Amino acid sequence: MFDMFFPDEYVASTYIIPFEKLYMEGYRGVIFDIDNTLVPHGAPADERAKKLFGQLHAMGFSTCLISNNQEFRVKLFNAEIGTNYIYNAHKPSTKNYIRAMETMGTDRTNTIFVGDQLFTDVWGAKRAGIRNILVKPIYPKEEIQIVLKRYLERIVLYFYKRSSRR
């Protein structure tokens, strides 16, 4: 019933994803959400995020940020990262996931999406046919509309964890 929202993987943090292993498996593009995936909501890029993008690019990955935020927010974060980005993406619409892959020169078979929300990030990536990794939100303080979605996410994650044990 909820499996259309189930992530392909669920990990504690973006910063523990084994990107080297994913590169060896043939992945060449990574699309990221920003807020609560890479940094707390509204924060600029921190040293950890800068280091991650430096490592990804050195490995040979293409990267792209895709956010439902307005350009000012995305541009602020990207100022220290210097990657491709798409703002006002209307996730879970698939249009900008596809646009991100076109920008990176990748396709559904060699692209991964990393985000912290089931109903926008993961569902959009699944609908676009992209392997996805759900991460736990970095910081618990969020806007009210996201807080409400988190209650519903807990229900879906309960069933996800239950089905993963089988």
Side-chain angles (χ1 to χ4, degrees):
M1 179 166 116
F2 293 117
D3 56 343
M4 70 178 156
F5 298 112
F6 288 177
D8 294 328
E9 294 176 57
Y10 183 34
V11 299
S13 169
T14 299
Y15 299 100
I16 65 165
I17 296 170
F19 289 104
E20 298 87 359
K21 181 177 180 265
L22 294 170
Y23 192 86
M24 288 180 1
E25 291 173 5
Y27 291 94
R28 294 299 181 262
V30 186
I31 304 171
F32 289 97
D33 175 54
I34 300 171
D35 288 325
N36 266 339
T37 298
L38 293 165
V39 294
H41 188 81
D46 58 17
E47 290 307 314
R48 193 165 62 159
K50 292 177 206 176
K51 182 179 175 186
L52 174 64
F53 278 83
Q55 291 171 333
L56 290 171
H57 294 152
M59 269 184 252
F61 275 109
S62 294
T63 58
C64 188
L65 305 170
I66 181 172
S67 175
N68 284 347
N69 280 299
Q70 297 303 309
E71 185 175 22
F72 174 79
R73 163 67 185 128
V74 181
K75 201 173 194 177
L76 171 73
F77 178 85
N78 194 48
E80 296 289 330
I81 300 296
T83 192
N84 302 298
Y85 67 85
I86 298 169
Y87 61 92
N88 200 20
H90 301 287
K91 295 179 288 182
S93 170
T94 61
K95 181 178 107 174
N96 286 308
Y97 290 85
I98 293 163
R99 188 169 141 216
M101 288 185 285
E102 289 169 354
T103 300
M104 294 187 301
T106 62
D107 60 39
R108 290 170 171 87
T109 66
N110 63 2
T111 304
I112 300 167
F113 179 85
V114 180
D116 70 299
Q117 292 189 49
L118 284 176
F119 302 126
T120 52
D121 297 333
V122 169
W123 193 36
K126 285 180 79 80
R127 291 175 60 228
I130 304 169
R131 180 175 171 183
N132 58 83
I133 301 173
L134 177 69
V135 297
K136 291 182 180 177
I138 290 175
Y139 189 69
K141 189 165 174 56
E142 298 179 296
E143 296 172 343
I144 188 66
Q145 71 272 15
I146 296 172
V147 171
L148 297 173
K149 282 193 271 183
R150 294 284 185 211
Y151 287 112
L152 297 173
E153 283 184 354
R154 281 191 214 135
I155 296 166
V156 175
L157 287 172
Y158 168 81
F159 287 102
Y160 168 75
K161 289 172 185 174
R162 202 167 119 186
S163 73
S164 297
R165 288 187 211 131
R166 291 180 194 163

